[in-house]
């Protein structure tokens, strides 16, 4: 069960990364802010992979076609999912954007069962449905919170793509060196972020060079987002190597109260009593899915 504390740590780092990305989104736009995660995360990912290599005895490199397929497919899906998440946050709020992203929980269960042969128990399916209901209620606009056009579609699309990319990363990591899962996870992160950095930087240099300039100008904030992103990804990948993606995403919903606290402290956002109750319902679903 060591994957549970690993997942909680990854969720905390992910909230910090999202907050840093959102702070640079105004000048860089959603794709520029997405680039922050990958470009500034790559140096840290290389360092983390190097440390994992030094701490691992005789790691084996098995860069098979299945590894590259999972890494490339997951990289593309994650880039699109990250941009969709930032758009959802911009058009709603930090906490609600994060909550809608948690639709990745039921999507992770579905993708895992249908596409990757994960064995999901009845309790985990039930927990996924309960958590989904709580998240849907939590995401509903109330009080002073306004949902602009496209916010829900962007948030749910983000969750679906994050879930599918996570399953791709799990498959890639498991083919690399199953005997050393943490090492495999951090090397997979390094490869994926290298792909994402090259692809997205190239696209933005052609289509929107001002976004790249804005990202580089905000390098202090970008470094913080890069560090948190690389560390979070390494921990997520490690947890998903130890457990199917569905239960990991279930425990990862702990990100939601963290995001609500961050949104209140950093962006003066508040959640209503109804949303707090919906959060409690979601928590029940999380426990069911994690322990089922």
């Amino acid at each position: 069960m060591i994957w549970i504390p690993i997942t909680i740590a990854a969720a905390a780092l992910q909230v910090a990364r999202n907050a840093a990305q959102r702070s640079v989104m105004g000048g860089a736009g959603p794709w520029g802010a997405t680039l922050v995660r990958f470009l500034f995360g790559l140096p840290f990912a290389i360092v983390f992979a190097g440390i994992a290599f030094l701490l691992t005895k005789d790691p084996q490199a098995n860069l098979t076609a299945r590894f590259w397929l999972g890494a490339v497919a997951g990289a593309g899906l994650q880039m699109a999912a990250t941009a969709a998440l930032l758009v959802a946050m911009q058009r709603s709020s930090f906490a609600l954007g994060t909550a809608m992203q948690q639709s990745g929980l039921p999507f992770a269960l579905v993708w895992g069962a249908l596409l990757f042969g994960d064995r999901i128990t009845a309790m985990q399916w039930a927990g996924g449905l309960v958590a989904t209901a709580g998240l849907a209620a939590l995401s509903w606009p109330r009080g002073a919170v306004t949902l602009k056009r496209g916010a829900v579609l962007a948030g749910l699309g983000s969750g679906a793509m994050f879930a599918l990319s996570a399953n791709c990363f799990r498959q890639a990591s498991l083919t690399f060196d199953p005997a050393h899962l943490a090492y495999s996870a951090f090397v997979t992160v390094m490869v994926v972020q290298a792909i994402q950095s090259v692809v997205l930087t190239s696209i933005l240099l052609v289509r929107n060079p001002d976004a790249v300039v804005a990202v580089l100008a905000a390098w202090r904030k970008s470094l913080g987002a890069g560090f948190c992103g690389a560390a979070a990804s390494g921990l997520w990948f490690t947890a998903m190597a130890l457990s199917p993606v569905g239960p990991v995403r279930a425990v990862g919903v702990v990100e939601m109260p963290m995001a609500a606290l961050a949104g209140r402290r950093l962006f003066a956002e508040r959640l209503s009593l109804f949303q707090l109750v919906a959060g409690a319902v979601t928590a029940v679903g999380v426990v069911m899915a994690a322990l089922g």
Side-chain angles (χ1 to χ4, degrees):
M1 301 292 282
I2 192 174
W3 62 269
I4 293 178
I6 292 174
T7 301
I8 294 172
L13 286 164
Q14 183 162 295
V15 171
R17 183 207 68 206
N18 288 343
Q21 281 183 290
R22 189 187 182 199
S23 67
V24 301
M25 187 172 174
W31 283 109
T34 301
L35 177 62
V36 167
R37 171 182 183 176
F38 308 129
L39 183 62
F40 286 87
L42 180 58
F44 295 108
I46 294 172
V47 171
F48 294 154
I51 293 173
F53 176 81
L54 294 175
L55 295 177
T56 302
K57 296 181 179 179
D58 300 321
Q60 300 297 313
N62 300 311
L63 299 180
T64 63
R66 184 179 175 187
F67 171 87
W68 288 108
L69 177 62
V72 172
L77 286 165
Q78 192 179 58
M79 283 192 289
T82 302
L85 171 61
L86 293 169
V87 170
M89 290 178 174
Q90 187 183 51
R91 296 183 180 182
S92 57
S93 69
F94 182 75
L96 293 183
T98 302
M100 287 187 287
Q101 176 209 349
Q102 299 303 338
S103 61
L105 167 56
F107 280 120
L109 293 168
V110 171
W111 299 145
L114 292 182
L115 302 179
F116 301 102
D118 288 345
R119 300 182 65 179
I120 310 298
T121 67
M123 180 68 76
Q124 288 173 330
W125 281 114
L129 292 175
V130 172
T132 301
L135 289 170
L138 183 63
S139 303
W140 196 258
R142 293 203 172 246
V145 177
T146 301
L147 282 177
K148 297 179 181 179
R149 179 177 297 179
V152 173
L153 181 61
L156 296 181
S158 171
M161 289 186 289
F162 271 128
L164 187 53
S165 70
N167 275 286
C168 290
F169 294 146
R170 169 175 162 80
Q171 299 304 313
S173 182
L174 288 176
T175 64
F176 184 73
D177 185 0
H180 302 287
L181 296 179
Y183 169 69
S184 298
F186 280 98
V187 170
T188 304
V189 171
M190 179 182 67
V191 171
V192 166
Q193 293 204 333
I195 295 171
Q196 293 165 327
S197 297
V198 171
V199 171
L200 192 51
T201 300
S202 300
I203 292 173
L204 287 177
L205 284 174
V206 173
R207 299 181 61 88
N208 188 9
D210 290 341
V212 179
V213 173
V215 167
L216 296 177
W219 64 271
R220 288 183 178 85
K221 294 179 181 178
S222 298
L223 279 175
F227 172 81
C228 291
S233 294
L235 294 177
W236 280 121
F237 284 26
T238 301
M240 290 186 294
L242 293 166
S243 169
V245 174
V248 171
R249 292 302 303 155
V251 175
V253 174
V254 71
E255 175 187 356
M256 182 184 62
M258 295 179 185
L261 179 60
R264 181 172 181 176
R265 293 181 63 88
L266 299 177
F267 307 117
E269 298 172 354
R270 295 182 180 275
L271 296 179
S272 67
L273 177 61
F274 175 85
Q275 291 166 332
L276 292 174
V277 172
V281 172
T282 303
V284 172
V286 168
V287 173
M288 293 170 63
L291 302 181

